[in-house]
Amino acid sequence: MTRASQQDNDHDPKRRRLLRRAATVAATTAGAGVAAAVAMPGTAQAAPGDNLIMATTNDAGPATTTLNGAPALTLKNTAGAPLRLVPGDSIYPQVLEAPVGSMAVDDQGDLFVRAGVPTSPTNGWAWTTEWATTSVAVQPTRVLDTRSVDLRRNIVSGTLDSLGRLQPGVPIVLSLDGYVRDGYAIKGNVTVVGMTGSGVLTVWGSGTKPTASTVNWWTQGQILSNFLFTELGAVGAYRSVLTLQATASPTHVIVDLTSLLVGHPSQVLVGRA
């Protein structure tokens, strides 16, 4: 059968759809071959202007497909999510030239949004708890005061001197697991008091001690505070810890918690402000 002999049948929309689903069928394929090819699974190839075929995968290629509804378009799926966007590895730079309101899923699975107004569009990713964070303010809470036996209870590693002060060069680990679950960072205040001479306090999450300082003092008997914004770390079974270390002279330390950085507010276990 030649291509010319198929023309009369090609006017039938159903037959056109079947032929397009058979991606491997050549222009000169005969009747028996067509029937065999139609039975093969494959992606529906809908040419621009053709009907969308339900219950199949429709591939528009580089052409733009528009779905209109009045007054609004509603997509429903009683068995699952009403809309599914599949990650693609070639959405750039096309998505950057798309109309405002366009959405795409990049190859990492993140939702990209073309927002703003047509004359001044903006590009960005939708906020998700997978990689973004949120700062949750809480009631100011004292989580460490080495002058008080009760407020040393969160220390899970390291030793203090006989008066409860940090010893120079000896780090202590403070667990905040009772306040946050797998926290990213802490905001608050750190205070040094009762030091015997000049010194430096460094506060960090976990791992190797950084060279930066958090509070510096130059003589004995001072009371100095500084804002604290520090990443939380993990040590053993503890998932949200701070490490503190003094140098040069012993000192008492006070840590007050005011905010926590988390992936989702539900991770915060202490009362919110």
Side-chain angles (χ1 to χ4, degrees), residues 1-3 13 34 44 84 108 122 136 142 159 170 182 187 201-202 243:
M1 182 183 295
T2 64
R3 178 65 179 174
V34 171
R84 180 169 183 256
Q108 300 298 312
T122 60
V136 179
R142 184 151 293 181
T159 57
V170 180
D182 295 315
K187 294 180 183 178
L201 175 72
T202 299
T243 306

Side-chain angles (χ1 to χ4, degrees), residues 153-225:
R153 65 186 181 278
N154 293 321
I155 299 175
V156 295
S157 178
T159 57
L160 304 173
D161 69 10
S162 60
L163 298 178
R165 298 173 300 191
L166 268 69
Q167 304 178 76
V170 180
I172 64 168
V173 177
L174 182 71
S175 171
L176 299 183
D177 285 13
Y179 305 90
V180 62
R181 184 176 62 254
D182 295 315
Y184 294 150
I186 176 180
K187 294 180 183 178
N189 293 294
V190 59
T191 303
V192 291
V193 60
M195 65 286 292
T196 60
S198 62
V200 174
L201 175 72
T202 299
V203 182
W204 73 102
S206 59
T208 304
K209 176 183 176 295
T211 57
S213 62
T214 307
V215 183
N216 302 273
W217 59 96
W218 56 94
T219 188
Q220 64 180 3
Q222 294 181 294
I223 301 176
L224 295 173
S225 297

Side-chain angles (χ1 to χ4, degrees), residues 71-238:
L73 176 67
T74 301
L75 301 177
K76 293 183 177 180
N77 179 6
T78 58
L83 176 64
R84 180 169 183 256
L85 299 177
V86 180
D89 57 2
S90 59
I91 68 171
Y92 306 105
Q94 296 90 334
V95 70
L96 301 177
E97 301 169 354
V100 168
S102 298
M103 296 186 299
V105 178
D106 66 14
D107 56 353
Q108 300 298 312
D110 291 314
L111 181 62
F112 183 92
V113 180
R114 181 87 161 149
V117 296
T119 56
S120 182
T122 60
N123 304 303
W125 282 265
W127 185 95
T128 72
T129 57
E130 177 64 24
W131 55 270
T133 61
T134 183
S135 180
V136 179
V138 300
Q139 294 287 352
T141 303
R142 184 151 293 181
V143 296
L144 173 68
D145 187 342
T146 59
R147 301 171 302 177
S148 166
V149 173
D150 186 54
L151 288 173
R152 299 175 197 158
R153 65 186 181 278
N154 293 321
I155 299 175
V156 295
S157 178
T159 57
L160 304 173
D161 69 10
S162 60
L163 298 178
R165 298 173 300 191
L166 268 69
Q167 304 178 76
V170 180
I172 64 168
V173 177
L174 182 71
S175 171
L176 299 183
D177 285 13
Y179 305 90
V180 62
R181 184 176 62 254
D182 295 315
Y184 294 150
I186 176 180
K187 294 180 183 178
N189 293 294
V190 59
T191 303
V192 291
V193 60
M195 65 286 292
T196 60
S198 62
V200 174
L201 175 72
T202 299
V203 182
W204 73 102
S206 59
T208 304
K209 176 183 176 295
T211 57
S213 62
T214 307
V215 183
N216 302 273
W217 59 96
W218 56 94
T219 188
Q220 64 180 3
Q222 294 181 294
I223 301 176
L224 295 173
S225 297
N226 200 8
F227 175 68
L228 182 67
F229 185 8
T230 304
E231 179 185 19
L232 291 170
V235 173
Y238 301 102

Side-chain angles (χ1 to χ4, degrees), residues 25-97:
V25 177
T28 58
T29 302
V34 171
V38 168
M40 295 173 61
T43 299
Q45 304 294 326
D50 270 5
N51 296 326
L52 190 67
I53 307 171
M54 297 296 99
T56 65
T57 299
N58 295 269
D59 185 0
T64 298
T65 300
T66 302
L67 299 177
N68 294 315
L73 176 67
T74 301
L75 301 177
K76 293 183 177 180
N77 179 6
T78 58
L83 176 64
R84 180 169 183 256
L85 299 177
V86 180
D89 57 2
S90 59
I91 68 171
Y92 306 105
Q94 296 90 334
V95 70
L96 301 177
E97 301 169 354

